[in-house]
Amino acid sequence: MTHPISKPTQLSRRGLMAMGLAAGTAWTLAACGEKKPAETAAAPVAPASAPAAAAPAGRAYVVGTDAAYAPFESQGPGGDIVGFDIDVLNATAAKAGISLKFVNTPWEGIFNTLASGERDMVISAVTITPERQQTMDFSAPYFDATQLIAVKAGSKVQKFDDLKTLKVGVQNGTTGDEVVQKLQGKASPNIRRFESTPLALKELESGGVDAVVADNGVVAHYIANNPAAQFVSLQDASFAPEQYGIAFKKGNAELQGKINTGLAAIRADGTYDAIYARYFGAKK
């Protein structure tokens, strides 16, 4: 999700999220086992702009995604939206026999587009939480995740509690934001909020913050692809497992059912595992 802002914003964004593969040089999927991240995101199984399949009466379901969250969703060289989430949903839609149209949508306000009908669904590494389930519906989980701490090599930070009095970068409104609030307090001036995790990590590189807490998949991907930054990642037992789901307007059981059917089909025939391996390595 590329946002041309390098200043921290003061609250109101990605209302909680996460992923799963563990830190250091390998990732630990909370509830998913250990994996080694791919050095670079592989070419997507299907271009984001291509329809997954013909839908009845030419209906194309509009999908909101904040394309600044590699390897889950980002903009490719040609401007197409690519990534793990995109490939999974395209494959799911093909099984369900529906067409999709992906629209890059800023995280702040992305869920409002479901309520207003501007988007039929949202896939954007969205963590399923009880709070969100009060205002929207979700597909079956399609990815297990957790939080991860990024610090510079040589940092004295060894565990999450060490961040209690330090400046910590988070993506506004994410689960990373929430867990740091629980540690430091909601009004802590040391919580620095950014419109995307890559912006927070850039701030860590420049020394503006002491650490970043974010979805492990995004952190691990950034570290693997930016060796000059000399970051290391840390896990912490206090980070709860999370699961990503595809979000729908509350009560849209018909579309939710179609997507769940497609998800079950790509898991059953091995398509999901093949997509997963392209981005994160084979499951163990």
Side-chain angles (χ1 to χ4, degrees):
M1 312 152 185
T2 30
H3 299 286
I5 296 178
S6 57
K7 287 175 65 178
T9 62
Q10 289 300 319
L11 206 65
S12 99
R13 165 157 175 134
R14 197 167 210 139
L16 319 155
M17 83 190 246
M19 146 184 151
L21 318 181
T25 55
W27 311 354
T28 300
L29 270 164
C32 251
E34 282 203 35
K35 339 231 151 291
K36 184 175 181 180
E39 288 297 317
T40 56
V45 170
S49 58
R59 171 77 159 101
Y61 291 99
V62 181
V63 183
T65 188
D66 187 10
Y69 216 67
F72 294 96
E73 43 270 324
S74 60
Q75 286 192 301
D80 287 341
I81 302 173
V82 299
F84 174 79
D85 281 359
I86 310 308
D87 290 352
V88 166
L89 190 52
N90 268 328
T92 296
K95 294 291 187 182
I98 61 176
S99 275
L100 304 176
K101 178 184 178 182
F102 290 89
V103 179
N104 193 3
T105 307
W107 179 262
E108 187 168 357
I110 197 170
F111 299 122
N112 292 337
T113 67
L114 286 176
S116 68
E118 296 173 73
R119 306 287 183 267
D120 296 300
M121 60 186 111
V122 165
I123 187 167
S124 201
V126 180
T127 300
I128 302 169
T129 68
E131 293 78 14
R132 286 178 175 164
Q133 287 175 313
Q134 293 177 15
T135 57
M136 66 193 84
D137 291 331
F138 284 93
S139 69
Y142 70 90
F143 197 87
D144 296 313
T146 188
Q147 294 298 297
L148 202 58
I149 303 165
V151 294
K152 286 186 174 182
S155 170
K156 293 182 179 179
V157 173
Q158 297 295 317
K159 58 187 184 300
F160 184 52
D161 195 59
D162 292 340
L163 303 180
K164 198 159 191 175
T165 60
L166 299 182
K167 291 178 286 186
V168 182
V170 297
Q171 183 173 353
N172 198 8
T174 61
T175 43
D177 188 353
E178 185 176 75
V179 298
V180 176
Q181 286 182 46
K182 289 178 180 177
L183 178 70
Q184 294 193 358
K186 289 186 177 182
S188 171
N190 284 331
I191 302 175
R192 307 296 171 86
R193 295 179 175 92
F194 298 82
E195 288 196 354
S196 74
T197 296
L199 288 177
L201 290 164
K202 284 291 185 185
E203 189 73 2
L204 175 61
E205 191 171 352
S206 69
V209 294
D210 301 299
V212 169
V213 176
D215 292 7
N216 55 349
V218 177
V219 170
H221 180 269
Y222 189 94
I223 291 174
N225 288 282
N226 295 274
Q230 297 187 320
F231 291 162
V232 294
S233 56
L234 306 170
Q235 290 179 283
D236 193 277
S238 67
F239 293 146
E242 303 175 25
Q243 291 182 307
Y244 293 166
I246 300 156
F248 310 93
K249 184 176 182 178
K250 197 75 175 171
N252 193 350
E254 181 181 359
L255 182 55
Q256 181 187 38
K258 290 177 180 179
I259 293 300
N260 280 339
T261 297
L263 276 173
I266 67 169
R267 285 190 180 277
D269 71 4
T271 300
Y272 177 91
D273 288 344
I275 296 170
Y276 186 99
R278 291 172 70 86
Y279 289 90
F280 309 116
K283 283 192 170 188
K284 295 181 181 179

